[in-house]
Every structure is written in C-alpha cells, then in structure tokens.
Amino acid sequence: MYYTNILVSVTEICTVGCSHCGFKGSIRERQPAEEEMAAWVTQACDWGIPAIIFTGGEPFQRFSLLKAGVQAVARHPAKPRTGCFTSSFWGKDRATVDKILDQLPGLTHLYLSTDVFHQERVPAQYVRNVIDGAIAHGIRDISLCITIAKDEEEQQFRALYEDYGDRLLIHVDRVISTPHIDHVAATGHPPLPEHYKTSCWLHTPIINPNGDLCACHVAKVGAHRPLDKDVYFLGNLKQRSFREIMEEADADYGYQYLRAFGPQGVARLVNEDDELRTRFGGKAYSSGCDMCSKVLLTRKGREKLEAHVADPFQQALIDTVRERRFGEVSQDQAARVQAQAQAAEAAR
Ligand code: SF4
Ligand code: SF4
C-alpha cells in the first residue's frame, strides 16, 4: 500500500513552549473523546494503514487519550505498528519513565524530538532517560527527530547520542520558517523545480483532534483556523467514515497532483503562473513543505492549483503517473477505460 503510516493528533495542548512550534498563537483546545480516538484509529487500521503514529501537541500531556489510542491499535487483528512522538518532557528520571511505559504495552516506535528548539525546554538527559526506558521495555524502534535551522546543528545533536550507535534511527529535517525564527534565508531555496523532489510526506496522512482527515502534517495549521477549504483537507471523520473520505480523495485531482508531483509540482505551478511567480518567486524556502504550504495555504495558490488540475490533459497526466509509480488506477481512469471498451464494442 502507498500509505505507510497515519499521524493521529491526540491533542494540540503542549506546555513545553518551543520557539519554532507551529501551534504558537493557536487556541490549542481541541481533543477527541476516548471513544472517537479508538474509532478513528480502528477505521484507519481496517482500511489497511499499517502503522499508527500518535502526535500532538504533546500526546503524553493527555495520557488517558494516548492510552486509549494505543490500546485500540493493539486490539486490532491486523496488528499494525504503533508509534508516538514526544518531547520527552516526562523523562525526568528512569523510575518515572518506567511507570509510564509500563502502561503502553504494544508501543513499537518512539519518535523523540531533540534539537536546539526542544533543548531550550527539555534537557538531553530527559531524552536519554526515555531512550534507556524504551530499550528496557523492548520498544523496537527509537528515532531521534532533529529539526535544524543551521547545518552545524545536525552534528551537534548527533554527538549527544552517539554512544547509542545503531540502536537509534536518526531523522533530520529543516525547520519550517515562522515569524518566530529567522536564519532560513541563508539556507533556503527559491521555488524552482530543480530544488525540490517529486515525493514528500503524503504517504503519511494526519487526523487532527477535531476529526479532520488531511493529506499531511502541514494540516496541523488547523489549530489556528478552519481547514475545510484547503487543498490538504480530505474530510471530517465526525461526518463520514475513513473509507468514504479516502474513496472520495481518489477523485480529488488537487490532492492527486500533490501525490504525483510533490513539492516539485508546486514549484512548477509557481513558475508557470505570472501571479504566483510575482508573489512567491523572489523568496527562499527552508524545505519542500515550507514552500508548498506557503503557496497552497493562500487562496490564490489554491485557486491556481484547482484551475490547473481542472484541465483533462493534466488529469490524464496525473492518472498516468499514479499508474506508473503507485500501480493505481483512479476511478476516473477506470470509467474512461470502460467507456472506451463499450464504444469499441458498440462499433463492432
Ligand atoms: S514539544 Fe512539540 S508541540 Fe510542544 S511546543 Fe515543542 S514543538 Fe510545539
Ligand atoms: S510537500 Fe506539501 S503536500 Fe508534501 S508533505 Fe510537504 S506540505 Fe504536504
């Protein structure tokens, strides 16, 4: 299956207070009921998503909800993997870590955020306590997630944990620029296709605490404002089932354009359109997600994408890429093939 994981946001609440946090300035009051959390997770597993990753906010600040989610995954007959992101704020000593992890049987992956932003609030020793506890509890995968604004920060943080060797997986990403941090211009790229890839994080959709099912992590912006008009929004799980939403997404060519062409496709869109080029062209972006979200979270960016994918030629191109790269036949493409076959039959 194309989808490798789904992020499930347990809560937007977090009192750690990192300077780069995308939730800064939002109300952060949304969270599901325990039954909703269990139902959404079960629907995602029923649909075939092989791994559920809980996120936030800080999921460990709403521990009963996190436990309900982890238990729902552990009960599922497909035995999906279960991961969780955390700042490790709860890792003040090993006894505390053990007490918490004892209550999360079935957890298979911890994603520990550690970088200059988190370290202002959570000492590396807390992260090390969580690593040691996770190893003792047999948690199979432990990832360090290092968000950098400057190149040298990567080595600085790798060095803090190098004694764990291969036991840790390391993931490094560039911070998405916000008004609260600078230093992006020095390392960023303009929106030219050659700087960006055709793939991104769309194989990991996200469920927000209000039930919004969205294309990727950028939908965390839903903590600040409604998402339902945005390109990244797929549907709300309080209104329709996971399966219904994903079936409808199959015919959503804005979403499928992103799956087919990724941030490189967004850069191409900017370059081929005078208005978008004037508005976004002269700037530097820290990553594909930074550029993509800065463009497509605007009304103009969204309208240009909608207009672009309304063209039947572009739709046929997207269908072809989906077939070649993912082995998928879209509902539209299947209908076209069937109509052609019927026309050929009638002509005989
Ligand atoms: S731990 Fe995560 S959610 Fe909390 S402030 Fe830091 S970046 Fe934001
Ligand atoms: S490049 Fe765009 S669509 Fe892809 S993961 Fe990043 S924000 Fe989402």
Side-chain angles (χ1 to χ4, degrees):
M1 152 172 271
Y2 166 83
Y3 297 96
T4 53
N5 318 277
I6 188 163
L7 291 166
V8 179
S9 180
V10 172
T11 176
E12 286 157 350
I13 290 164
C14 176
T15 50
V16 174
C18 306
S19 59
H20 73 315
C21 183
F23 289 112
K24 220 170 186 176
S26 70
I27 301 169
R28 300 191 190 212
E29 61 188 7
R30 306 183 306 174
Q31 60 191 46
E34 284 181 24
E35 310 75 55
E36 287 177 318
M37 161 72 62
W40 298 343
V41 160
T42 304
Q43 287 177 26
C45 297
D46 288 346
W47 197 68
I49 303 262
I52 310 293
I53 306 172
F54 295 98
T55 185
E58 172 49 73
F60 283 80
Q61 278 192 244
R62 287 297 176 271
F63 193 58
S64 58
L65 263 174
L66 174 60
K67 262 198 329 188
V70 171
Q71 283 166 2
V73 184
R75 277 196 304 268
H76 198 275
K79 299 283 168 232
R81 296 185 305 283
T82 325
C84 187
F85 275 95
T86 182
S87 62
S88 306
F89 81 94
W90 45 281
K92 66 177 180 184
D93 55 53
R94 269 301 305 281
T96 309
V97 169
D98 287 346
K99 200 168 149 196
I100 288 173
L101 291 182
D102 281 348
Q103 298 174 66
L104 295 173
L107 198 65
T108 57
H109 198 151
L110 269 173
Y111 297 85
L112 310 179
S113 303
T114 182
D115 42 53
V116 285
F117 306 108
H118 287 85
Q119 208 180 34
E120 285 172 11
R121 308 290 175 147
V122 181
Q125 186 55 52
Y126 279 41
V127 181
R128 294 182 66 93
N129 291 341
V130 173
I131 294 170
D132 293 340
I135 292 170
H137 279 76
I139 292 179
R140 197 187 73 182
D141 297 316
I142 306 165
S143 294
L144 291 184
C145 302
I146 305 172
T147 299
I148 60 168
K150 299 176 186 163
D151 291 341
E152 59 268 27
E153 291 165 10
E154 176 176 347
Q155 193 45 43
Q156 180 190 338
F157 276 83
R158 281 180 181 269
L160 286 176
Y161 306 96
E162 67 188 355
D163 51 313
Y164 289 102
D166 293 344
R167 189 61 183 82
L168 302 181
L169 305 162
I170 310 270
H171 177 75
V172 181
D173 221 338
R174 288 202 170 269
V175 68
I176 291 186
S177 57
T178 81
H180 309 291
I181 52 168
D182 50 17
H183 21 257
V184 166
T187 53
H189 294 296
L192 297 170
E194 60 264 34
H195 294 301
Y196 300 96
K197 296 181 184 165
T198 54
S199 59
C200 52
W201 295 102
L202 285 167
H203 48 82
T204 304
I206 185 168
I207 300 173
N208 272 342
N210 69 337
D212 282 350
L213 171 56
C214 301
C216 67
H217 59 105
V218 159
K220 286 188 176 187
V221 75
H224 298 267
R225 58 177 181 75
L227 283 176
D228 54 335
K229 300 275 186 305
D230 282 320
V231 172
Y232 307 103
F233 176 81
L234 302 178
N236 186 285
L237 289 164
K238 293 189 188 215
Q239 289 153 14
R240 283 176 304 144
S241 72
F242 192 94
R243 179 170 297 280
E244 286 168 338
I245 293 171
M246 293 312 285
E247 282 173 2
E248 199 172 295
D250 185 83
D252 175 347
Y253 275 99
Y255 172 54
Q256 298 301 343
Y257 178 85
L258 292 173
R259 287 185 68 223
F261 302 115
Q264 189 178 97
V266 180
R268 192 149 40 83
L269 202 65
V270 171
N271 267 277
E272 290 172 3
D273 183 271
D274 289 344
E275 273 185 282
L276 292 185
R277 206 172 48 247
T278 305
R279 184 158 169 189
F280 300 102
K283 299 176 185 158
Y285 300 89
S286 63
S287 66
C289 293
D290 188 26
M291 185 271 300
C292 174
S293 58
K294 293 286 184 329
V295 175
L296 294 183
L297 285 174
T298 64
R299 187 169 58 85
K300 189 57 76 185
R302 186 179 74 231
E303 287 173 356
K304 294 288 182 183
L305 177 61
E306 284 166 2
H308 186 73
V309 301
D311 177 352
F313 174 76
Q314 293 300 332
Q315 295 184 2
L317 208 57
I318 293 165
D319 286 343
T320 304
V321 173
R322 286 182 65 189
E323 193 177 358
R324 297 254 165 93
R325 280 182 61 197
F326 313 133
E328 295 173 351
V329 178
S330 72
Q331 291 163 13
D332 274 17
Q333 195 180 7
R336 272 199 300 272
V337 170
Q338 193 181 6
Q340 281 165 2
Q342 283 168 348
E345 186 66 30
R348 268 211 246 154

